[in-house]
Amino acid sequence: MSHPGTPPEALYFVSAFGREKELVLKAVEALSRKLGPVKFTSEWWPFDFTDYYTPEFGKPLVRAFFFFGLRPQEDLVQVKHWAYAVEQAFSQEGKRRVNLDPGYLLLSRVVLSTFKDFAHRLYLGQGVFAEVTLIFRGGSFRPLPWTYPDYAHPATRDLFNRMREEYKRLLRCSSTPMAGG
């Protein structure tokens, strides 16, 4: 028989992209006022896996991942709304200039948040859905049939594997949340 418990805190991150690195950095800084300081930033990569965003953003797009601290998993709904508010604040003439997609990492999976429903997504409340997009199996994060190509890419999975090691270190070193907000 199972009993209610407290799940481990998660390592929160945001995938951020846009046409201008400086603007993306300003948006992440604005988000960090709620989410806490950025602990690690990935390298910048071209965001060219899809043309879905071209009508809104134009081309070319650049992207980086920004990792924050540990927070309760149930904060994902609030974090998604914080990111949305920042996107809206940086919009111009009804078009976003930055895209901020928050999620979190656990030892067993990477979870993304979205406002879009689909068969493999679970509703969390307040218009937010969650998707397990990578699972840890056989010593590495692995994509699932619905995983976006950019998350399935070996460089992205390598990044999450490295951050999983950092997450393990944070779990050993801290029994309290690292990020404010």
Side-chain angles (χ1 to χ4, degrees), residues 54-100:
T54 301
E56 184 175 14
F57 286 87
K59 282 185 174 183
L61 299 173
V62 292
R63 176 228 233 142
F65 289 90
F66 299 85
F67 291 82
F68 298 88
L70 301 179
R71 299 187 75 87
Q73 295 178 46
E74 59 267 22
D75 285 1
L76 188 59
V77 170
Q78 185 176 38
V79 172
K80 178 65 175 174
H81 282 280
W82 289 341
Y84 177 73
V86 171
E87 286 179 346
Q88 295 306 298
F90 280 78
S91 292
Q92 214 170 41
E93 299 174 9
K95 291 187 176 184
R96 291 177 298 167
R97 296 187 302 153
V98 294
N99 185 73
L100 303 173

Side-chain angles (χ1 to χ4, degrees), residues 30-71:
L31 181 60
S32 74
R33 291 185 200 119
K34 294 279 195 177
L35 195 50
V38 172
K39 305 289 187 189
F40 177 82
T41 302
S42 75
E43 63 186 284
W44 289 91
W45 293 320
F47 187 73
D48 55 8
F49 287 89
T50 178
D51 289 326
Y52 177 83
Y53 297 97
T54 301
E56 184 175 14
F57 286 87
K59 282 185 174 183
L61 299 173
V62 292
R63 176 228 233 142
F65 289 90
F66 299 85
F67 291 82
F68 298 88
L70 301 179
R71 299 187 75 87

Side-chain angles (χ1 to χ4, degrees), residues 15-179:
S15 160
F17 71 78
R19 293 195 62 197
E20 305 168 44
K21 286 182 189 178
E22 296 77 22
L23 194 64
V24 171
L25 289 170
K26 285 180 184 177
V28 171
E29 181 182 329
L31 181 60
S32 74
R33 291 185 200 119
K34 294 279 195 177
L35 195 50
V38 172
K39 305 289 187 189
F40 177 82
T41 302
S42 75
E43 63 186 284
W44 289 91
W45 293 320
F47 187 73
D48 55 8
F49 287 89
T50 178
D51 289 326
Y52 177 83
Y53 297 97
T54 301
E56 184 175 14
F57 286 87
K59 282 185 174 183
L61 299 173
V62 292
R63 176 228 233 142
F65 289 90
F66 299 85
F67 291 82
F68 298 88
L70 301 179
R71 299 187 75 87
Q73 295 178 46
E74 59 267 22
D75 285 1
L76 188 59
V77 170
Q78 185 176 38
V79 172
K80 178 65 175 174
H81 282 280
W82 289 341
Y84 177 73
V86 171
E87 286 179 346
Q88 295 306 298
F90 280 78
S91 292
Q92 214 170 41
E93 299 174 9
K95 291 187 176 184
R96 291 177 298 167
R97 296 187 302 153
V98 294
N99 185 73
L100 303 173
D101 285 327
Y104 63 70
L105 179 148
L106 296 168
L107 294 175
S108 62
R109 62 193 172 272
V110 172
V111 176
L112 302 180
S113 62
T114 181
F115 292 130
K116 299 175 206 141
D117 188 11
F118 207 70
H120 61 282
R121 295 177 178 156
L122 299 176
Y123 185 65
L124 300 179
Q126 299 178 37
V128 179
F129 296 83
E131 168 184 306
V132 175
T133 201
L134 297 171
I135 59 170
F136 194 81
R137 180 172 289 153
S140 181
F141 279 111
R142 310 278 179 202
L144 296 160
W146 50 81
T147 300
Y148 294 117
D150 53 323
Y151 279 85
H153 192 276
T156 307
R157 291 188 294 126
D158 287 346
L159 169 66
F160 280 102
N161 284 327
R162 288 192 315 273
M163 294 312 300
R164 183 180 184 271
E165 292 304 311
E166 178 63 14
Y167 174 60
K168 288 193 317 193
R169 187 188 71 73
L170 290 171
L171 288 175
R172 285 192 303 268
C173 294
S174 175
S175 59
T176 60
M178 292 184 55

